[in-house]
Amino acid sequence: MRALNRKLLRDLYAMKGQAFAIALVIASGVAVFVMSITTLNALRQTRADFYKQYFFADVFLSLKRAPEGLRLRIKEIPGVDMVETRVAAAVNLTIKDYSGPVTGQLFSVPDIGKPLLNKLYLRQGRMIEAGRDDEVIVSEAFARSHGFMPGSKLSAVINGRRKNLTIVGIGLSPEHVYQIAPGSLFPDFERYGILWMGRKPLGTAYNMEGAFNNVTLTLSPGAQIEDVIERLDKLIEPYGGLGAYGRKDQLSNRYLYEEFRQLANTATIFPIIFLGVAAFLLNLVVSRLINMQRGQIAALKAFGYNNYAVGLHYLKLIILIILLGVAGGVLSGVWFGRGLSEMYMDYYRFPFLRYEFQPGVAAIAALISIAAGITGALYSVQRGVRIPPAEAMRPEPPATYRETWIEHIGLKRIMSQPSRMIIRHIERKPVKAFLSTIGIAFACAIMIVGCFFQEAIDFMVDVHFRLSQREDLAVTFVEPASKRALFELQSLPGVEYGEAFRSVPVRLRYQHRTYRTAIMGVKPGGDLQRLLNSRLKPFDPPREGILLTDYLGDILGVRVGDKLSVEVLEGNRPVRMVSVAGMVSQCIGVSAYMNIEALNNLMREGNAISGVYLAADPDYHPEILSRLNEMPRIAGIVERRNAVKNFYETISEQLIVYTSFMAMFAATIAFGVVYNSARIALSERSRELASMRVLGLTRGEISYILLGELAVLTLAAIPLGCLIGYILCAYFVDQLQTDLYRIPLIIESGTYALAATVVLVSATISGSIVRRRLDRLDLIAVLKTRE
Amino acid sequence: MSEDKKRASNQALQGNEAVFCVKGLTKVYDMGEVKVHALRGIDLDLFQGELVVLLGASGSGKSTLLNILGGLDTATEGCVVYKDCDLTRANDSTLTQYRRYHIGFVFQFYNLIPSLTARENVAIVTEIARNPMKPEEALSLVGLDDRMDHFPAQLSGGEQQRVAIARAIAKNPEVLLCDEPTGSLDSMTGIVVLEALEKINRDLGTTTIVITHNAPIADMADRVICLADGLIADVRSNAHKKPACEIKW
Ligand SMILES: Nc1ncnc2c1ncn2[C@@H]1O[C@H](COP(=O)(O)OP(=O)(O)OP(=O)(O)O)[C@@H](O)[C@H]1O
Ligand SMILES: [Mg+2]
């Protein structure tokens, strides 16, 4: 082996602790990158494959009733490829030994053969036997949460009559990957299920023989979806069509899309920040390392090694360390990525997972790391080789220290000589000190980003459920009802108070932007549902005009005073212009609000209500729920306790798991950075410190000089890190806004404290390692050789 | 020694071509507030195969001169020509080539690579030379046969210095520049080192320049140049070179 390569390996071995810490920092950045990107790609690939292989429809439409013959007319619409008609119905379900209210959505499947579109993936069991009216297939999430197997039984109230059903299969459909009940905010696999039944028996039960009330279709290549929807709506209008919509507005797909978008944001922003921080640190460490080898660079040059050879030598060293880190990062990234993808699988219902190692992703991570390391190295190597060797080789001239301004202003008297040495050293190399501080501050900042989500989510849930949606139970009717329904529910045992609401499905349009949502008619002076202003203070809806969730206002690009077009999607579907009266601060869900009377007026109807919010004694909940379950006209019941629990178990959990991975890697980076700063300081100054020992300073005194500097830099880094952390969090919060929820920018002091603690603990551990090394400082060896 | 002989020997040398031709060489270190004039206008020719000893007080500019001759440093003014090559106008890669193939260096502060053993410290130079000795051969010339696998930190100051000398002579350079090669050595070991230099100078005709503070060493030189305050104060030729083994200090 060439002597130069041997020097490389020896140098690497001599700095193994430091090399390991650098590799750790890179590994963390790379791991986060690989984990996030591969998971995202896997989910996207899985979704694409599932949609394609199981013929996810392009356009969806519900209607009252149309004869089957209309199918051919639909098929003739230009741009339509395949059409499937179905019968769909909402059902109330009863499950033995389960007390809560369970609702479901029934879809028909052809009596013979398989569905044309939105095909079922059968996880277990079989399709329905032709003609059987007591067999159903249930969705996997629902089946799992109740422990259903093929052969399990449940009963359903189908068109007013109770019917016992046998589960023959457990399936998954591209239409219900994200399985969420209409009107609820979060998935609840226990209380909402999708069921499939034979077309004939279901048609018979709902008087849909030779007719349908639901249609899905795919488009032929190149077709314009807007045109198709327009023609379809016109065709179906006489049959009570509820407005066709594309995948964009299909509930499961839309939530999936939103969540993937959010995931894509986290999965790119986090790794970029992490890799960026890792790269910055690498750059810092490498340039200081090479700076320390100035003399050796000069000697090599003096022997006739050219700049290229010298540069290559140091680049090899850096690349070796980086590759070590990249290898560790890729391995752990793939490992965590697989785990994370499997967790997501549990949450989104895909029949299969397409997770695979993507060499391209690993290569990008490696390239970014190497590029960062090399730029750091190149700059320093260049600086190293530019100095004439004669100059670089002389022992460094005694540094020019000056009295610092801190001493000038008279603090001199209260400072010991070693303390003065600390501040003089910092002041003499302010850039270096600043960069070290920035490095530690960034480590602190990414800790904050990794940790703040938990508390911000708690805050968000608290605001939403304690200040705004304060009901214990929300009951929605199948059809608008009269005020009487409110009194009926209020009289249930244990109910303390009730408040009616009206909810009207609409499409809001402003200029070219549209949004499908519901207008909630709210009672002024209500106690259960309250609208919050930007300072989270409750206020009453004005007599006229519409209020929008602030986020919806941004989506539509409207301001207070603008006029919106409201296209009602039920009844005889009027279109009206309404002016925007204000914005509502709301971090979960997206809605529009009106005074309930104004909404009734807009609908040209009397005192119609869509549902009731109830405050009820928790002890009575089971009884109330079972009474509600008996009532025929109830479409859905949401229990707040349950909603909160669901939120934490589903949406928040996946974010928290992801961010706690982040926090773990952030802590690793924090340690790597602090440790490296300490070690570099040690090697840069060991000669000087050894000389001081020789002059009679004690171990304690030289430790104080070195570690005191580290302490000063670390302490300065913490507030700076908190500031950077806050900025990063603000950026994240902005990027992670979705229709589902918006995390508020709330960073609790506990988060800052945790980040500071991790940095301080890292500093303490690094300090004690350095202290041990200082105690073992070989005075003779240090003085005998240069460097 | 008679005048004739002296002249004769000078003429013999002058008959040789000049390896280095130095004209009006000045070196100013700009330290911001003060300017240090290390060299103030040196005119000097050095000839093929000559052994020159540079004397002078500390700070008189000896190392500076040597570094410029070796292509390690740049001149402020004046010119230095090595054979046909103007070092003061040469670019970085020419200087690198020059150092690599023509110059052997012994640094005042040794500058061994701490992570390499004695043998490897020599190898790092021989590996890129055109016509080198074996590292072991060079090390045994300076009496370090039994220290080849020691790291610099495990060697005494004098031993480190000898490794540095072995490193310089191992590539059989055309010019050998030695900055206080015996500074840390006792006279016994010093003489071993000087004998090695003498042998190389004699056998290979290597032009050799030695800086020293030990005036007696000057007796082994063909010429002795004294620097004072950045100027040449005196040049004298030795008609009779004393063999290294007869020198004592
Ligand atoms: N890099 C430098 N920056 C500033 N001044 C320098 C530098 N190198 C040398 N000098 C100054 O130039 C002058 C000549 O230095 P040089 O090293 O050539 O002396 P020297 O004759 O070799 O002395 P010694 O015998 O002590 O080694 C000295 O005054 C020295 O302080
Ligand atoms: Mg000198």
Side-chain angles (χ1 to χ4, degrees):
Chain A
M1 202 193 306
R2 312 255 312 183
L4 207 55
N5 288 336
R6 206 165 288 167
K7 164 175 168 356
L8 185 89
L9 293 183
R10 297 245 175 81
D11 284 350
L12 190 63
Y13 182 76
M15 54 178 282
K16 55 186 177 300
Q18 236 175 306
F20 180 73
I22 300 173
L24 211 60
V25 170
I26 298 166
S28 300
V30 169
V32 168
F33 187 83
V34 169
M35 171 181 97
S36 306
I37 305 290
T38 55
T39 299
L40 185 65
N41 287 346
L43 287 176
R44 283 189 171 147
Q45 190 58 48
T46 304
R47 177 178 62 180
D49 286 0
F50 189 36
Y51 277 8
K52 188 150 186 278
Q53 290 166 18
Y54 287 80
F55 290 86
F56 184 43
D58 290 316
V59 175
F60 307 80
L61 172 63
S62 292
L63 56 144
K64 268 219 144 63
R65 186 178 200 279
E68 184 61 27
L70 204 64
R71 203 181 82 89
L72 292 173
R73 303 259 313 271
I74 298 173
K75 209 168 154 52
E76 279 164 11
I77 295 175
V80 171
D81 185 17
M82 289 191 278
V83 179
E84 184 161 57
T85 61
R86 293 189 297 190
V87 175
V91 284
N92 284 351
L93 302 168
T94 315
I95 294 158
K96 215 171 141 242
D97 302 327
Y98 185 78
S99 66
V102 182
T103 58
Q105 188 78 26
L106 256 175
F107 287 100
S108 67
V109 289
D111 294 307
I112 297 159
K114 292 184 169 165
L116 206 56
L117 302 176
N118 308 306
K119 286 176 192 283
L120 283 177
Y121 174 93
L122 272 187
R123 179 79 81 195
Q124 268 180 304
R126 57 171 171 81
M127 291 302 288
I128 287 149
E129 220 169 85
R132 293 295 294 255
D133 67 347
D134 59 349
E135 289 187 352
V136 287
I137 295 169
V138 299
S139 57
E140 189 188 44
F142 182 56
R144 271 229 213 129
S145 68
H146 288 286
F148 290 147
M149 300 294 280
S152 300
K153 308 229 181 277
L154 76 167
S155 74
V157 180
I158 294 178
N159 212 8
R161 261 176 307 164
R162 183 165 296 281
K163 188 150 184 56
N164 288 322
L165 301 169
T166 305
I167 295 170
V168 295
I170 291 170
L172 296 135
S173 152
E175 210 180 349
H176 303 287
V177 175
Y178 194 98
Q179 194 173 304
I180 189 165
S184 64
L185 288 172
F186 321 118
D188 184 344
F189 300 145
E190 270 179 30
R191 296 186 177 194
Y192 179 74
I194 307 291
L195 296 85
W196 290 272
M197 207 175 179
R199 170 78 181 260
K200 198 154 192 188
L202 193 60
T204 313
Y206 284 93
N207 302 320
M208 292 277 172
E209 282 140 325
F212 63 93
N213 67 356
N214 182 286
V215 59
T216 61
L217 54 87
T218 53
L219 300 174
S220 39
Q224 284 295 316
I225 186 162
E226 293 82 12
D227 297 347
V228 172
I229 285 179
E230 206 182 309
R231 285 168 198 252
L232 186 61
D233 275 344
K234 206 167 270 163
L235 181 66
I236 300 291
E237 169 118 55
Y239 304 95
L242 290 180
Y245 52 89
R247 283 186 180 185
K248 182 168 85 59
D249 288 315
Q250 201 265 345
L251 208 57
S252 160
N253 182 62
R254 184 167 107 202
Y255 280 148
L256 213 54
Y257 173 83
E258 279 293 312
E259 295 223 339
F260 279 24
R261 189 176 65 82
Q262 193 191 42
L263 191 66
N265 271 333
T266 31
T268 42
I269 303 167
F270 257 121
I272 285 171
I273 292 178
F274 270 60
L275 218 49
V277 171
F280 172 72
L281 296 171
L282 185 65
N283 203 302
L284 205 71
V285 170
V286 164
S287 55
R288 287 178 74 172
L289 251 168
I290 285 174
N291 227 18
M292 274 165 48
Q293 296 230 339
R294 218 169 78 118
Q296 293 189 38
I297 293 177
L300 289 175
K301 279 197 70 182
F303 303 147
Y305 283 91
N306 57 25
N307 294 353
Y308 170 77
V310 176
L312 193 68
H313 171 68
Y314 285 96
L315 289 187
K316 275 193 208 160
L317 179 74
I318 305 310
I319 289 173
L320 260 173
I321 298 175
I322 295 173
L323 287 183
L324 209 70
V326 168
V330 167
L331 285 181
S332 52
V334 168
W335 193 68
F336 279 112
R338 188 174 290 279
L340 196 66
S341 304
E342 266 155 23
M343 190 195 81
Y344 282 122
M345 272 315 104
D346 243 23
Y347 174 61
Y348 305 115
R349 290 293 155 173
F350 288 114
F352 41 71
L353 171 62
R354 297 268 186 259
Y355 187 88
E356 50 198 38
F357 172 65
Q358 297 140 18
V361 175
I364 291 171
L367 276 182
I368 296 176
S369 313
I370 290 175
I374 286 180
T375 44
L378 270 187
Y379 176 68
S380 332
V381 170
Q382 216 176 33
R383 228 179 29 179
V385 297
R386 246 203 332 256
I387 311 172
E391 196 181 323
M393 243 172 345
R394 307 177 92 234
E396 231 176 306
T400 43
Y401 285 93
R402 253 174 268 142
E403 285 208 335
T404 61
W405 59 269
I406 296 182
E407 292 169 273
H408 272 305
I409 60 175
L411 292 173
K412 190 172 180 170
R413 261 161 293 141
I414 60 167
M415 274 192 291
S416 63
Q417 187 59 40
S419 303
R420 273 184 248 159
M421 289 184 65
I422 291 173
I423 57 163
R424 281 183 199 171
H425 192 258
I426 292 175
E427 217 173 275
R428 191 172 72 90
K429 301 229 164 126
V431 175
K432 197 188 255 179
F434 178 70
L435 287 179
S436 305
T437 307
I438 288 272
I440 301 173
F442 260 106
C444 180
I446 51 178
M447 272 300 293
I448 291 173
V449 176
C451 295
F452 106 104
F453 283 93
Q454 177 82 62
E455 273 152 355
I457 286 174
D458 287 346
F459 179 86
M460 173 173 90
V461 169
D462 186 63
V463 166
H464 189 74
F465 291 105
R466 199 172 51 81
L467 296 181
S468 179
Q469 293 294 143
R470 294 145 53 91
E471 77 282 355
D472 294 317
L473 292 165
V475 182
T476 317
F477 305 136
V478 175
E479 279 176 295
S482 75
K483 262 273 173 62
R484 265 221 326 275
L486 168 65
F487 305 129
E488 199 180 318
L489 294 184
Q490 264 176 328
S491 64
L492 288 173
V495 171
E496 289 153 4
Y497 173 68
E499 219 169 84
F501 65 87
R502 179 76 173 100
S503 166
V504 177
V506 293
R507 184 182 284 130
L508 302 178
R509 187 183 295 275
Y510 183 71
Q511 290 163 356
H512 62 280
R513 294 177 285 270
T514 65
Y515 193 86
R516 235 177 114 103
T517 180
I519 301 182
M520 300 292 292
V522 182
K523 192 173 137 264
D527 190 45
L528 296 180
Q529 183 177 38
R530 303 194 305 188
L531 306 177
L532 302 178
N533 66 14
S534 59
R535 290 199 316 281
L536 301 184
K537 292 278 173 293
F539 70 100
D540 280 336
R543 294 172 56 101
E544 289 299 325
I546 192 168
L547 301 166
L548 300 178
T549 303
D550 41 13
Y551 184 66
L552 180 54
D554 290 343
I555 293 178
L556 291 174
V558 291
R559 270 174 301 176
V560 175
D562 290 341
K563 270 197 180 312
L564 274 184
S565 138
V566 174
E567 306 170 16
V568 176
L569 297 177
E570 71 169 35
N572 45 13
R573 313 186 59 191
V575 178
R576 309 227 197 286
M577 297 301 286
V578 182
S579 68
V580 178
M583 297 292 163
V584 178
S585 165
Q586 182 183 348
C587 34
I588 298 181
V590 164
S591 264
Y593 299 89
M594 282 179 86
N595 189 315
I596 190 164
E597 279 176 30
L599 185 57
N600 286 150
N601 285 342
L602 181 122
M603 294 295 290
R604 311 267 195 275
E605 63 189 11
N607 287 331
I609 62 175
S610 304
V612 172
Y613 293 126
L614 297 174
D617 186 335
D619 293 342
Y620 283 88
H621 278 200
E623 197 185 332
I624 299 173
L625 288 176
S626 70
R627 291 281 291 273
L628 288 173
N629 225 18
E630 306 281 277
M631 300 185 182
R633 291 188 336 277
I634 287 175
I637 305 159
V638 178
E639 197 182 353
R640 184 179 64 165
R641 282 196 299 206
N642 208 49
V644 175
K645 189 183 110 221
N646 272 323
F647 176 76
Y648 276 112
E649 279 175 5
T650 55
I651 293 180
S652 126
E653 187 186 286
Q654 44 150 339
L655 193 59
I656 303 269
V657 168
Y658 182 77
T659 52
S660 40
F661 280 0
M662 295 303 114
M664 184 186 73
F665 287 120
T668 313
I669 291 188
F671 178 77
V673 175
V674 177
Y675 179 71
N676 257 313
S677 304
R679 282 302 305 273
I680 293 178
L682 173 67
S683 32
E684 279 173 349
R685 300 184 70 191
S686 58
R687 208 179 164 76
E688 179 190 347
L689 295 171
S691 319
M692 286 190 223
R693 287 272 289 124
V694 172
L695 295 179
L697 271 75
T698 64
R699 288 183 179 145
E701 281 162 334
I702 59 161
S703 302
Y704 176 76
I705 291 170
L706 188 70
L707 298 180
E709 186 184 330
L710 181 66
V712 169
L713 296 184
T714 306
L715 290 178
I718 287 173
L720 185 63
C722 290
L723 181 70
I724 299 175
Y726 181 85
I727 295 170
L728 289 182
C729 287
Y731 180 67
F732 258 95
V733 159
D734 190 54
Q735 293 293 310
L736 295 190
Q737 298 192 346
T738 69
D739 296 15
L740 279 175
Y741 59 96
R742 274 85 48 200
I743 297 168
L745 181 56
I746 299 291
I747 308 177
E748 305 270 338
S749 45
T751 304
Y752 290 123
L754 180 65
T757 308
V758 167
V759 171
L760 287 176
V761 168
S762 307
T764 313
I765 295 174
S766 314
S768 61
I769 294 174
V770 168
R771 169 74 212 242
R772 268 216 340 262
R773 296 205 153 236
L774 276 179
D775 287 350
R776 283 183 294 146
L777 202 59
D778 185 345
L779 305 186
I780 313 301
V782 168
L783 294 183
K784 222 160 56 171
T785 54
R786 290 199 59 219
E787 304 283 324
Chain B
M1 190 195 305
S2 76
E3 284 294 312
D4 284 359
K5 266 189 174 173
K6 201 168 166 183
R7 205 173 298 123
S9 91
N10 260 350
Q11 263 157 8
L13 280 170
Q14 250 108 68
N16 275 341
E17 57 185 306
V19 183
F20 284 104
C21 196
V22 180
K23 283 213 170 62
L25 181 65
T26 63
K27 175 74 187 178
V28 182
Y29 290 106
D30 195 342
M31 313 271 291
E33 294 138 48
V34 284
K35 288 189 176 11
V36 179
H37 291 262
L39 299 175
R40 298 166 185 273
I42 302 264
D43 296 311
L44 182 66
D45 285 338
L46 296 167
F47 302 103
Q48 177 67 50
E50 197 178 21
L51 198 161
V52 175
V53 165
L54 263 181
L55 292 175
S58 174
S60 55
K62 307 182 292 295
S63 296
T64 306
L65 176 59
L66 205 70
N67 286 340
I68 294 174
L69 290 179
L72 295 184
D73 210 346
T74 52
T76 310
E77 253 176 69
C79 75
V80 178
V81 179
Y82 170 77
K83 292 186 176 165
D84 293 327
C85 170
D86 186 346
L87 296 182
T88 38
R89 278 192 188 70
N91 62 17
D92 190 65
S93 72
T94 315
L95 283 180
T96 303
Q97 294 289 312
Y98 165 67
R99 293 194 297 265
R100 184 175 196 146
Y101 298 123
H102 305 284
I103 302 295
F105 239 110
V106 179
F107 308 115
Q108 188 168 4
F109 303 99
Y110 325 149
N111 288 82
L112 301 183
I113 307 280
S115 53
L116 295 181
T117 61
R119 190 203 310 266
E120 290 157 356
N121 257 291
V122 179
I124 204 162
V125 172
T126 56
E127 275 169 5
I128 56 167
R130 267 182 190 148
N131 175 29
M133 309 179 198
K134 284 215 167 63
E136 293 77 10
E137 195 184 330
L139 282 166
S140 79
L141 267 178
V142 293
L144 280 180
D145 304 76
D146 51 351
R147 290 283 186 282
M148 302 223 185
D149 295 316
H150 287 228
F151 285 95
Q154 299 165 328
L155 296 171
S156 75
E159 283 164 342
Q160 289 182 44
Q161 188 158 34
R162 282 186 277 160
V163 175
I165 290 160
R167 197 167 60 176
I169 60 179
K171 68 160 129 177
N172 285 324
E174 283 159 42
V175 178
L176 197 50
L177 303 173
C178 309
D179 200 342
E180 299 188 35
T182 56
S184 320
L185 305 180
D186 62 284
S187 60
M188 281 279 282
T189 339
I191 282 162
V192 173
V193 164
L194 292 178
E195 275 176 332
L197 295 179
E198 186 179 53
K199 181 169 180 293
I200 300 231
N201 173 253
R202 188 182 56 227
D203 295 355
L204 301 171
T206 306
T207 311
T208 308
I209 303 167
V210 178
I211 294 179
T212 182
H213 283 280
N214 297 323
I217 293 177
D219 291 346
M220 68 182 278
D222 292 306
R223 276 204 297 169
V224 183
I225 298 169
C226 290
L227 283 189
D229 206 11
L231 285 169
I232 296 182
D234 182 32
V235 182
R236 63 187 152 88
S237 303
N238 286 335
H240 271 298
K241 290 206 285 184
K242 227 186 205 177
C245 56
E246 287 172 20
I247 292 170
K248 288 203 178 53
W249 70 88

